Amino acid sequence: MASEGVVELRDWLFLLMLCLTLLAEVLEIAAATGYDEEGDPVCPSVCRCDEDFIYCNDRGLSSIPPLPPSATVLYLQNNHIDNAGLPTSLERQLTIRVVYLYDNELDDFPMHLPPSLRELHLQDNNIRTLPRATLARMPLLEKLHLDDNSVSTVSIEDQAFVDNPRLRLLFLSRNHLSSIPSGLPASLEELRLDDNRISTIPTHAFRGLSSLRRLVLDGNLLANQRIADDTFSRLSNLTELSLVRNSLLTPPLNLPSTHLQRLSLQDNALIHIPRGSLDGMRRLQRLDLSGNNLTTLPRGLFKDLDSLGQLLVRGNPWHCGCNLRWLHDWLHARGNSITVRGLTCQGPDKVRDMALKDLTSQMEECEVPGIVAVGAGVGATGSETRDRGGGADVGGVAASATTLAPPQGSLFTLRSKRPGLGLPDSGLDYTLGSSGVGKSLALNVKPLAPDSIRVTWSVAQPTSSFRLSWLRLGTSAAMGSITETLVRGDRREYLLTSLHPHSSYIICMVPLAASSGGKGVMAGGNTDSDEAPVCAKAETSDPSQPDVGQEDNQDPEHMATLPLAGIIGGATAIVSLALIVAVFCWYRHRAGRLSSRDQYSRGSARKSKHYDDYIESGTKKDTTILEIRGPGFQMTPMVTHQPLQPMPLREDYIIHTIFPSNGTGLYKGAHQVSNAGYGTNRGYREGGIPDIDYCYT
């Protein structure tokens, strides 16, 4: 009985061990296949899991392995996953929020992505199209990264983002876009379109994007004439605008000013910034103008930049004359509250490579304007102030202005409805020159740049002030825009700036009596002096053509040396030419003499071939025995007692066999050889010598 109980217990233990073994095998197989006891997937063996973060990047995967149901963030970048490697079960993973699929082999926008997705990284693939149906599967999508793909404007389906009302960030950098994509969601806050082929921005490009805060358009083909005037004005909440590496000559018009904090315009082709371009930007903190062609900035450009903390202007040819006196004072007034980089002078030569902020002693020599120039509307109402040096430094190049502001240095622009300002009628063909002389005033004008003209004058007697007026030709004097200003009586030069390039101007000046009030003269347009205005004509240059005006700025002493230099250069050229001709003639003469001598020598040799056949054939003469190692011949000179021939420098030779066949030597006299017929063997046959033993040279 006891033995039976032991056997039964042993059987039960065996069955228990067998069940445990089978359970262990099942658990091991489940772990290997990625599923737990309940059949749910666990962390794939090729990946690394950290709670809800699944790291499967850089594994060489061609498809996505089964994922645990608690996964929220998937790192699948830097693999070989293509569209076929995306399982349909992925769209049932409702806990996934972020997917990194960049740097894979996707050719189309991926399908079967979970609808719970908030952030999707697809950069560095080869995606070509953006279908609306695929994007509609992700209604909660907030951030979409599509950099470095092959998306073009026509491959974006119409209204592709209409079903993504929460999309806040869209990156399409380094694609093949030629225009701004249409149908962008109104919820968009950041848009990157840099390094594409966008060349035109129409008015409606950003319509409805009132929430946009950051816009990047770097590295495109944008130019001023292909950007609509009110393109950016619709972006009322924009805080950052970047237009780096384009082809802009001036900043775009109507930039948003209320909330803008960062403005990047570096590496363009900016030649000037119109006055008023930065008005209202009281929150601007960073302004980058590096890598352009700016030489100056108009007075009052930074008047509203109270919050500016960084000003980057390196890589510009700054001309630090009196035209930048206002900027020098503005920088000193701001003190340490602003950081400036690159404001280094490139001209004039005496201040080259010096910082503008350090030119305190030089700037003290400039006259300080009393009040900044006011607009045309103010002038029309009669408000004006006497100018105290409104012109820029005559040695510098002043900045150009736009139609929004009057030319630099002027008090206001007067719209005249009657001819009475003392200017010649622009409709006639006047023969005005660059200078004019009146009863007591001599006027001279000279263009300095495409938008500036220097005016100088001299007077016979002192006067309290001058009235300076200028009119652009081609505009009627009765209805045109005539600009005039008052200049102090102790000044003798003035710089007109912000003029139209490639235009003709009539410039007139008249001295005013001491009792004439500035306001009455300017408003009434009548001169209190009985002297007629002195006028001159000048033409601004074309900025697209090479600047030829610099030739006129050369020093007179240098110009005086040009005729002497021309005479010396001409004489040197003539002497060199004569030497070349002389050498050529000498060479031809020498070559002719050698040719005639050679022809004479060859003619004589043909007539008396038998005198010396070796000289004719170029054989070097020698008094020693010359052996011919072929058939056994030798040459020996003739005895000295032979009679001399007509040519004493020649020697005749005879040829005889060294080892004839009969063992005896043979000798033939020179007269017998000379009598032998030329070109035949008749003489040798007559001597009884076989032909085979002789060689004629």
Side-chain angles (χ1 to χ4, degrees):
M1 187 69 181
S3 60
E4 292 179 358
V6 172
V7 172
E8 185 177 358
L9 180 60
R10 186 184 61 185
D11 293 340
W12 281 107
L13 290 175
F14 176 76
L15 291 176
L16 181 60
M17 293 297 295
L18 181 61
C19 291
L20 292 176
T21 303
L22 293 177
L23 181 59
E25 292 292 336
V26 170
L27 293 177
E28 185 178 357
I29 294 173
T33 55
Y35 293 87
D36 58 9
E37 297 87 345
E38 299 178 358
D40 295 329
V42 296
C43 182
S45 59
V46 295
C47 304
R48 182 177 63 88
C49 300
D50 185 5
E51 294 183 353
D52 298 336
F53 293 79
I54 312 300
Y55 297 92
C56 299
N57 53 296
D58 300 283
R59 299 297 199 275
L61 302 177
S62 59
S63 62
I64 300 177
L67 302 172
S70 61
T72 58
V73 180
L74 302 182
Y75 294 92
L76 297 166
Q77 66 270 21
N78 298 326
N79 283 291
H80 304 289
I81 301 174
D82 55 9
N83 291 90
L86 299 175
T88 57
S89 61
L90 191 62
E91 60 185 349
R92 293 191 294 271
Q93 301 282 133
L94 301 182
T95 59
I96 296 179
R97 300 291 186 268
V98 182
V99 174
Y100 292 89
L101 272 170
Y102 62 84
D103 197 8
N104 278 280
E105 299 178 2
L106 300 174
D107 293 326
D108 298 311
F109 198 91
M111 300 180 63
H112 311 301
L113 293 176
S116 59
L117 204 62
R118 262 73 166 178
E119 185 174 345
L120 179 58
H121 294 259
L122 295 173
Q123 55 265 44
D124 230 345
N125 282 278
N126 193 30
I127 299 174
R128 298 183 178 88
T129 60
L130 295 182
R132 175 180 175 180
T134 305
L135 290 169
R137 296 172 179 265
M138 299 175 289
L140 303 179
L141 189 64
E142 297 178 358
K143 299 180 180 180
L144 179 57
H145 297 260
L146 286 167
D147 312 74
D148 297 287
N149 280 279
S150 302
V151 180
S152 61
T153 303
V154 296
S155 66
I156 301 177
E157 189 175 342
D158 190 25
Q159 302 296 323
F161 303 98
V162 70
D163 297 317
N164 304 102
R166 297 190 179 185
L167 189 63
R168 297 185 295 106
L169 184 146
L170 178 59
F171 283 9
L172 285 167
S173 305
R174 293 174 294 279
N175 278 275
H176 301 158
L177 300 176
S178 59
S179 61
I180 307 295
S182 60
L184 296 175
S187 58
L188 206 60
E189 296 180 3
E190 184 172 354
L191 178 61
R192 290 190 63 113
L193 301 173
D194 47 305
D195 293 303
N196 280 278
R197 305 170 184 172
I198 301 174
S199 59
T200 304
I201 303 181
T203 303
H204 56 80
F206 302 114
R207 181 176 298 169
L209 300 182
S210 58
S211 300
L212 193 64
R213 298 182 180 275
R214 187 168 186 255
L215 177 61
V216 180
L217 292 169
D218 301 350
N220 281 282
L221 307 175
L222 297 175
N224 291 91
Q225 60 271 22
R226 294 192 291 268
I227 300 177
D229 292 346
D230 56 346
T231 295
F232 300 104
S233 62
R234 302 174 182 271
L235 306 176
S236 56
N237 291 315
L238 197 67
T239 60
E240 181 176 349
L241 176 61
S242 183
L243 294 167
V244 181
R245 291 182 288 110
N246 281 279
S247 301
L248 301 176
L249 298 177
T250 61
L253 298 176
N254 302 323
L255 292 176
S257 58
T258 306
H259 300 283
L260 195 63
Q261 298 177 6
R262 299 169 66 94
L263 178 60
S264 301
L265 296 171
Q266 64 265 33
D267 296 326
N268 277 274
L270 299 180
I271 56 176
H272 74 282
I273 299 181
R275 184 182 295 110
S277 298
L278 307 179
D279 288 355
M281 298 185 184
R282 302 187 182 278
R283 297 186 181 182
L284 191 66
Q285 300 174 3
R286 186 178 187 272
L287 176 62
D288 197 338
L289 300 173
S290 305
N292 286 284
N293 297 320
L294 296 172
T295 58
T296 187
L297 296 174
R299 182 184 296 109
L301 181 66
F302 299 157
K303 64 180 182 179
D304 293 337
L305 305 186
D306 301 331
S307 303
L308 189 64
Q310 283 185 304
L311 178 61
L312 309 177
V313 292
R314 59 172 58 91
N316 287 281
W318 296 111
H319 189 95
C320 301
C322 292
N323 53 319
L324 290 181
R325 168 67 186 270
W326 73 270
L327 182 57
H328 172 271
D329 297 341
W330 184 82
L331 293 175
H332 278 275
R334 292 295 303 271
N336 296 328
S337 63
I338 185 172
T339 301
V340 182
R341 295 286 184 269
L343 193 52
T344 305
C345 303
Q346 299 298 322
D349 293 336
K350 62 181 181 180
V351 296
R352 184 181 298 274
D353 298 329
M354 295 178 62
L356 177 66
K357 199 172 182 179
D358 299 335
L359 302 182
T360 303
S361 59
Q362 289 84 354
M363 291 301 173
E364 288 178 352
E365 301 176 0
C366 301
E367 297 181 6
V368 181
I371 297 180
V372 180
V374 297
V378 178
T381 61
S383 300
E384 61 91 14
T385 306
R386 186 176 300 274
D387 185 17
R388 297 180 57 85
D393 179 20
V394 295
V397 181
S400 300
T402 62
T403 57
L404 301 178
Q408 181 177 345
S410 64
L411 295 180
F412 60 87
T413 301
L414 178 62
R415 300 287 179 178
S416 174
K417 295 185 178 180
R418 71 231 177 275
L421 296 177
L423 289 174
D425 186 6
S426 60
L428 300 178
D429 186 13
Y430 288 91
T431 58
L432 292 176
S434 60
S435 61
V437 180
K439 182 171 61 176
S440 61
L441 185 142
L443 180 68
N444 185 44
V445 295
K446 182 178 182 180
L448 293 181
D451 61 347
S452 61
I453 296 177
R454 179 186 179 185
V455 182
T456 58
W457 63 90
S458 59
V459 291
Q461 55 186 359
T463 183
S464 61
S465 60
F466 302 92
R467 189 190 71 177
L468 179 63
S469 307
W470 59 94
L471 171 68
R472 181 187 177 192
L473 291 183
T475 303
S476 173
M479 297 299 296
S481 174
I482 301 174
T483 309
E484 55 185 21
T485 185
L486 292 180
V487 184
R488 293 191 321 181
D490 58 347
R491 296 191 61 176
R492 293 297 180 267
E493 58 186 5
Y494 197 89
L495 182 64
L496 302 180
T497 62
S498 304
L499 304 178
H500 292 271
H502 196 55
S503 302
S504 298
Y505 284 85
I506 294 180
I507 303 168
C508 296
M509 175 173 281
V510 60
L512 301 179
S515 60
S516 59
K519 182 175 180 179
V521 174
M522 300 296 291
N526 298 323
T527 305
D528 294 341
S529 176
D530 57 354
E531 183 175 353
V534 178
C535 299
K537 183 179 179 182
E539 182 175 355
T540 56
S541 60
D542 190 351
S544 62
Q545 300 295 330
D547 188 7
V548 298
Q550 295 182 357
E551 298 179 359
D552 300 334
N553 298 334
Q554 295 180 352
D555 190 78
E557 297 180 359
H558 176 70
M559 297 296 293
T561 60
L562 291 180
L564 180 59
I567 294 174
I568 296 175
T572 304
I574 294 174
V575 172
S576 301
L577 182 62
L579 289 176
I580 293 173
V581 172
V583 171
F584 178 75
C585 294
W586 173 81
Y587 176 78
R588 292 294 304 271
H589 179 69
R590 182 175 180 275
R593 291 186 60 185
L594 292 176
S595 176
S596 61
R597 181 183 301 176
D598 184 61
Q599 292 178 0
Y600 175 78
S601 300
R602 294 187 178 184
S604 302
R606 292 191 183 96
K607 294 180 181 180
S608 55
K609 179 75 175 181
H610 55 280
Y611 282 134
D612 193 348
D613 295 333
Y614 301 102
I615 294 180
E616 174 65 22
S617 58
T619 304
K620 182 178 179 181
K621 294 193 295 181
D622 196 357
T623 57
T624 60
I625 296 177
L626 174 64
E627 292 187 3
I628 303 178
R629 297 183 179 274
F633 289 89
Q634 72 175 0
M635 299 182 182
T636 59
M638 295 182 63
V639 294
T640 57
H641 60 79
Q642 294 292 338
L644 296 175
Q645 300 298 331
M647 297 182 65
L649 295 179
R650 292 192 175 187
E651 296 178 357
D652 291 337
Y653 291 82
I654 61 173
I655 302 175
H656 64 86
T657 57
I658 299 176
F659 301 103
S661 57
N662 54 5
T664 60
L666 299 177
Y667 180 83
K668 246 339 209 185
H671 61 280
Q672 293 181 358
V673 176
S674 61
N675 292 334
Y678 178 77
T680 66
N681 292 328
R682 183 168 52 86
Y684 307 116
R685 294 192 182 98
E686 291 178 355
I689 301 174
D691 294 339
I692 194 172
D693 292 336
Y694 277 83
C695 178
Y696 180 78
T697 302

